[in-house]
């Protein structure tokens, strides 16, 4: 696990000092070693920098940039099956100096070119300079577990594991992309490939960016797409065979994520996803695996007792931390540094703190993101299907039209209900579209487009995102699977994986995602909805498997999200910080909001109104980010 950064500069204005700054700002991602080199080509200077967190082969033989013949490589991530790939390469005559997966990757590319990716089970972002073919390749893993950002202005390509690397370049403009800002306010994160900065992109998961040095024309190409898995015919296997094969794939995926030369632990929230990881790993060893849980002093949000019971049943070496608003305050001031573009998932606080807890005991922590996407766990999937199917299409259209005639704020009784105006607007849009994927898009929004226009004082055009897939979904094998595929390409990739990567890396530990093994994802993509949701039970397959290891009585309870109780904290202990950054003076300094509208929203919230705190949280997070990266407020 590492941080990588660098440039391909056709003007040759970037130098070794700048590369050093771009790389060293990622020291938290790699405190164990560093390396940077500027390689010259007649057309461009190529800067390759890497900060190393030593996980595989702790010796100096894993140093990067790594070179082999005409190839140079910097690499962030893990190739879990590198030993098998190495054995295949040795049969082809390759010899190895180290026991690192980096050497396997560079020699695998030498042997098979881009087809090496077909061999790899892992998470990765890498940059490779091929002097023979005179090109530089940027690559990101299938799911997007590892990040890679790039900026291109027609003459210089800057890249880095985090945006803060790009900010170290004096000619990086740091111009806010207001369309991306609009997306952030709607979703609380910025869906890829966009970023908060203009002309700056996230490399898409499952993609390569190739830049030939002789033409200086970059091309982004796809090598894997989850939609292709969902376009395969549904499996004809029996329920028992599906359960058996799924469990076998989970066992393989989970065991691969234990490959390391340092201690490994598991984040245990008490839900089915993380419980499956802890249960399967603990059942396969006589030593006690380490598990980590965050709990809350506010009992209505706290699941630590449930996680503790599961840990006791499994016999893990369990660690927990019960947090309150004072712990949240200590994290809030660091969030803009950790998440260096606006990012307002309200579980950033507990995720950062559980990472801090784990860092006292291990160097690798397994998370369980992806379970809801591949096993169909979120309620929004069922809601999206039911909202668009329970009424005839003509009735939906008529209702949507009539709703447009009425201001929800004047509807008696209902206008006092929690977040009613937003929910009213969403149902109007859902019935107008009649499409489940559109319904899920609106359900996912914390602020609708009209609310963004109200709070910014201007209508901002939106980019098309993976929420807007339409014809691309036509060949997907099942209506529910269409929604799972969209969520995989949006909320999972650009929210959940970002959250865990930055939180773990902020304390220099490696976060791994065993449920996102592409073999498991591809198989479950062919499983019909009737097995994913059965007898009104979400995650039916996963629950049947987990019940083999943990009694249902310990597991079956209402699903609660892993979030912080910000709604209470911002009305009391964190109220002052909210008022400070959302004051008219500071909103006007930003120059991107209608201060009067936001002040009215804030006062309504603080006086106990039925207002979603997430709307204010999104705006607060933007202000905190702006204060750190653009100008002091």
């Amino acid at each position: 696990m590492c941080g990588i950064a660098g440039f391909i500069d056709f003007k040759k204005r970037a130098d070794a000092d700048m590369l050093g700054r771009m790389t060293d700002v990622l020291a938290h991602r790699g405190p164990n070693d560093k390396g940077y080199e500027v390689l010259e080509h007649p057309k461009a200077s190529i800067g390759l920098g890497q900060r190393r967190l030593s996980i595989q082969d702790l010796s100096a033989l894993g140093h990067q940039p790594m070179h082999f013949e005409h190839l140079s490589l910097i690499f962030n991530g893990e190739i879990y099956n590198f030993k098998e790939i190495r054995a295949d390469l040795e049969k082809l005559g390759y010899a190895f100096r180290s026991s690192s997966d980096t050497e396997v990757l560079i020699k695998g590319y030498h042997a098979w070119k881009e087809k090496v990716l077909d061999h790899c089970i892992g998470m990765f972002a890498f940059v490779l300079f091929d002097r023979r073919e005179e090109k530089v390749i940027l690559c990101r893993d299938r799911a997007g577990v590892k990040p890679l950002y790039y900026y291109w202005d027609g003459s210089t390509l800057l890249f880095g594991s985090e945006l803060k690397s790009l900010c170290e370049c004096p000619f990086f403009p740091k111009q806010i992309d207001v369309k991306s800002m609009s997306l952030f306010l709607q979703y609380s994160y910025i869906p890829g490939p966009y970023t908060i900065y203009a002309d700056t992109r996230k490399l898409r998961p499952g993609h390569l960016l190739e830049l030939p040095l002789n033409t200086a024309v970059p091309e982004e190409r796809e090598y894997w797409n989850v939609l292709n898995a969902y376009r395969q015919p549904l499996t004809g296997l029996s329920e028992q065979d599906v359960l058996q094969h799924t469990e076998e794939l989970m066992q393989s995926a989970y065991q691969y994520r234990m490959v390391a030369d340092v201690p490994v632990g598991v984040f245990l929230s008490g839900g089915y996803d993380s419980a499956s990881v802890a249960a399967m790993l603990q059942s396969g060893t006589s030593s006690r695996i380490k598990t980590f849980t965050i709990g809350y002093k506010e009992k209505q949000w706290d699941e630590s007792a449930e996680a503790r019971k599961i840990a006791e049943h499994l016999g893990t070496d369990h660690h927990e931390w019960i947090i309150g608003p004072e712990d949240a305050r200590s994290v809030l001031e660091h969030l803009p540094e950790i998440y260096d573009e606006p990012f307002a998932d309200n579980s950033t606080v507990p995720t950062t703190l559980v990472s801090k807890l784990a860092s006292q005991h291990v160097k690798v922590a397994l998370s369980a993101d992806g379970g809801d996407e591949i096993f169909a766990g979120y309620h929004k999937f069922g809601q999206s299907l039911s909202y668009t199917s329970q009424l005839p299409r003509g009735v939906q259209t008529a209702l949507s039209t009539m709703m447009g005639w009425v201001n929800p704020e004047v509807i008696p009784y209902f206008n006092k209900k929690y977040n009613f105006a937003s929910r009213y607007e969403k149902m109007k849009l859902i019935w107008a579209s009649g499409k489940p994927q559109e319904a899920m898009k609106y359900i996912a929004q914390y602020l609708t487009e009209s609310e963004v226009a109200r709070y910014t004082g201007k209508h901002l055009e939106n980019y098309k995102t993976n929420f807007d897939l339409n014809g691309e979904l036509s060949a997907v094998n099942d209506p529910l699977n269409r929604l799972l595929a969209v969520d995989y390409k949006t909320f999972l990739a650009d929210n959940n994986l970002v959250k865990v990567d930055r939180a773990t890396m902020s304390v220099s530990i490696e976060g791994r995602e065993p449920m996102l093994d592409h073999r498991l994802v591809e198989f479950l993509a062919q499983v019909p909805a009737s097995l994913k949701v059965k007898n009104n039970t979400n995650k039916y397959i996963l629950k049947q498997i987990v019940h083999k290891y943990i009694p249902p009585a310990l597991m079956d309870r209402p699903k609660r999200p892993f979030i912080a109780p910000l709604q209470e904290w911002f009305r009391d202990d964190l109220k002052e910080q909210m008022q400070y950054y959302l004051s008219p003076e500071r909103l006007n300094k930003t120059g991107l909001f209608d201060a009067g509208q936001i002040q009215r929203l804030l006062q309504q919230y603080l006086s106990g109104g039925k207002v979603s705190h997430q709307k204010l949280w999104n705006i607060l997070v933007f202000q905190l980010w702006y204060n750190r990266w653009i100008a002091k407020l």
Side-chain angles (χ1 to χ4, degrees):
M1 184 62 60
C2 310
I4 59 175
F7 55 79
I8 300 95
D9 185 10
F10 292 90
K11 290 186 175 180
K12 297 195 174 185
R13 53 186 170 168
D15 58 18
D17 288 341
M18 190 184 88
L19 177 63
R21 294 194 303 273
M22 292 178 69
T23 305
D24 287 344
V25 77
L26 300 175
H28 55 285
R29 298 185 72 94
N32 302 132
D33 189 20
K34 58 185 176 182
Y36 7 77
E37 297 179 27
V38 177
L39 308 173
E40 293 298 335
H41 179 273
K43 294 290 182 68
S45 297
I46 296 98
L48 302 177
Q50 192 248 18
R51 294 289 311 212
R52 184 184 180 197
L53 176 64
S54 301
I55 302 294
Q56 303 283 359
D57 188 346
L58 309 185
S59 75
L61 295 175
H63 180 78
Q64 299 181 37
M66 186 173 284
H67 309 283
F68 179 68
E69 295 189 2
H70 57 282
L71 302 174
S72 298
L73 174 72
I74 50 175
F75 166 56
N76 168 30
E78 301 288 349
I79 308 299
Y80 300 115
N81 63 330
F82 75 96
K83 292 181 180 178
E84 292 96 317
I85 300 172
R86 173 174 171 153
D88 292 339
L89 289 168
E90 287 174 334
K91 291 175 185 176
L92 297 176
Y94 288 88
F96 291 84
R97 298 175 59 246
S98 73
S99 58
S100 74
D101 53 351
T102 308
E103 187 177 4
V104 170
L105 180 59
I106 195 170
K107 291 180 178 176
Y109 185 90
H110 185 273
W112 302 308
K113 300 289 182 66
E114 294 167 14
K115 291 295 183 183
V116 67
L117 299 170
D118 297 336
H119 297 256
C120 294
I121 299 172
M123 56 179 187
F124 45 83
F126 66 80
V127 177
L128 183 139
F129 175 32
D130 186 333
R131 283 178 290 279
R132 179 179 296 169
E133 297 195 6
E134 298 185 281
K135 65 181 180 181
V136 179
I137 292 174
L138 282 66
C139 181
R140 193 173 177 205
D141 67 66
R142 298 172 181 88
V145 178
K146 291 295 99 188
L148 191 56
Y149 296 87
Y150 69 91
Y151 163 80
W152 171 247
D153 66 359
S155 62
T156 302
L157 183 82
L158 306 173
F159 61 84
S161 296
E162 298 179 15
L163 286 169
K164 54 177 61 72
S165 287
L166 280 57
C167 293
E168 290 296 315
C169 304
F171 45 83
F172 179 60
K174 292 177 68 174
Q175 178 184 347
I176 293 175
D177 186 331
V178 293
K179 292 183 181 180
S180 293
M181 174 189 166
S182 174
L183 289 174
F184 164 71
L185 293 173
Q186 290 171 61
Y187 298 108
S188 81
Y189 63 94
I190 299 174
Y194 312 107
T195 75
I196 192 61
Y197 296 119
D199 300 319
T200 307
R201 295 289 182 263
K202 304 174 178 84
L203 182 59
R204 291 177 174 93
H207 279 69
L208 299 155
L209 180 74
E210 182 175 307
L211 180 56
L213 299 178
N214 287 321
T215 65
V217 179
E219 178 190 5
E220 191 169 330
R221 292 184 284 107
E222 176 185 288
Y223 71 87
W224 189 89
N225 189 335
V226 74
L227 287 178
N228 292 331
Y230 279 105
R231 288 170 180 146
Q232 299 302 309
L234 292 171
T235 179
L237 294 175
S238 68
E239 177 179 324
Q240 189 55 45
D241 287 341
V242 167
L243 289 170
Q244 179 179 336
H245 191 53
T246 301
E247 185 175 0
E248 290 170 354
L249 287 171
M250 291 167 67
Q251 288 279 13
S252 174
Y254 295 2
Q255 288 296 334
Y256 264 134
R257 271 68 182 179
M258 294 297 286
V259 174
D261 294 330
V262 294
V264 180
V266 177
F267 293 155
L268 181 62
S269 69
Y272 274 93
D273 301 342
S274 61
S276 77
V277 178
M280 287 189 176
L281 292 178
Q282 188 60 75
S283 69
T285 180
S286 58
S287 60
R288 299 172 67 199
I289 65 169
K290 296 183 184 298
T291 52
F292 305 94
T293 295
I294 286 292
Y296 301 112
K297 294 177 181 178
E298 294 80 7
K299 293 302 179 185
Q300 70 270 33
W301 304 93
D302 184 38
E303 284 192 296
S304 61
E306 289 88 345
R308 191 183 316 121
K309 290 175 183 176
I310 293 169
E312 289 171 354
H313 173 78
L314 296 175
T316 70
D317 178 11
H318 191 58
H319 305 264
E320 66 179 40
W321 182 6
I322 307 301
I323 66 171
E326 66 281 0
D327 301 298
R329 188 181 293 108
S330 70
V331 172
L332 284 176
E333 62 188 54
H334 297 296
L335 286 182
E337 190 69 37
I338 297 171
Y339 300 92
D340 50 11
E341 75 173 347
F343 185 78
D345 184 295
N346 58 15
S347 60
T348 52
V349 171
T351 305
T352 302
L353 291 174
V354 77
S355 299
K356 184 176 180 180
L357 173 65
S359 71
Q360 300 169 24
H361 305 272
V362 298
K363 283 296 181 185
V364 174
L366 275 60
S367 187
D369 297 285
D372 286 304
E373 285 77 11
I374 64 177
F375 288 105
Y378 292 130
H379 295 306
K380 64 185 174 185
F381 303 137
Q383 290 172 337
S384 301
L385 291 167
S386 65
Y387 289 164
T388 52
S389 64
Q390 287 179 338
L391 296 173
R393 184 73 196 100
V395 174
Q396 293 180 47
T397 302
L399 285 172
S400 176
T401 300
M402 288 187 289
M403 291 174 77
W405 302 338
V406 180
N407 181 352
E409 300 289 354
V410 302
I411 300 177
Y413 177 73
F414 291 104
N415 61 4
K416 304 298 183 184
K417 295 292 184 180
Y418 176 77
N419 208 30
F420 175 70
S422 293
R423 290 154 59 200
Y424 183 95
E425 174 76 7
K426 289 180 181 183
M427 282 309 306
K428 182 183 73 174
L429 295 169
I430 288 169
W431 279 334
S433 75
K435 297 177 180 178
Q437 60 266 31
E438 286 284 305
M440 190 171 74
K441 168 184 173 178
Y442 296 127
I443 290 170
Q445 292 177 347
Y446 292 102
L447 282 84
T448 63
E449 290 183 41
S450 62
E451 287 177 312
V452 171
R454 182 191 313 163
Y455 295 126
T456 59
K458 60 185 77 71
H459 177 73
L460 301 174
E461 293 293 330
N462 265 344
Y463 286 122
K464 181 180 178 180
T465 73
N466 284 318
F467 279 113
D468 302 304
L469 296 176
N470 197 354
E472 300 95 327
L473 299 173
S474 59
V476 170
N477 54 31
D478 182 286
L480 174 63
N481 283 345
R482 290 177 188 168
L483 302 183
L484 303 188
V486 171
D487 214 49
Y488 187 97
K489 293 172 74 68
T490 54
F491 184 64
L492 174 68
D494 296 315
N495 187 91
N496 289 349
L497 297 183
V498 171
K499 173 181 62 183
V500 174
D501 174 80
R502 302 306 190 280
T504 52
M505 288 277 83
S506 73
V507 291
S508 302
I509 64 172
E510 176 175 288
R512 295 182 175 180
E513 303 287 0
M515 285 191 154
L516 295 180
D517 188 298
H518 72 277
R519 300 167 301 159
L520 179 61
V521 171
E522 290 172 349
F523 174 69
L524 288 171
Q526 298 178 61
V527 173
S530 59
L531 285 180
K532 289 173 177 168
V533 181
K534 184 174 180 180
N535 301 326
N536 293 319
T537 300
N538 289 6
K539 289 187 179 175
Y540 175 79
I541 296 170
L542 179 64
K543 290 179 179 180
Q544 293 300 108
I545 293 170
V546 170
H547 290 163
K548 293 175 62 175
Y549 300 86
I550 304 172
L554 284 181
M555 296 301 308
D556 287 338
R557 58 187 181 277
K559 180 180 176 65
R560 281 193 283 181
F562 183 59
I563 61 176
L566 296 175
Q567 186 160 341
E568 279 78 13
W569 293 349
F570 280 133
R571 283 198 174 109
D572 189 6
D573 299 81
L574 303 180
K575 175 180 175 181
E576 185 177 338
Q577 189 167 25
M578 177 81 83
Q579 290 176 314
Y580 179 85
Y581 282 101
L582 300 190
S583 68
E585 176 188 356
R586 286 163 189 85
L587 289 167
N588 289 332
K589 279 186 179 179
T590 307
L592 295 166
F593 296 104
D594 185 321
Q597 289 284 355
I598 292 174
Q599 274 293 298
R600 281 190 284 276
L601 180 68
L602 177 60
Q603 294 310 314
Q604 186 182 357
Y605 170 76
L606 293 176
S607 63
K610 300 295 185 178
V611 175
S612 170
H613 73 280
Q614 186 72 42
K615 296 178 181 181
L616 291 162
W617 174 230
N618 286 7
I619 299 167
L620 171 62
V621 165
F622 184 88
Q623 290 288 94
L624 290 168
W625 171 83
Y626 190 97
N627 180 68
R628 168 59 183 88
W629 293 102
I630 304 299
K632 287 294 182 183
L633 299 177

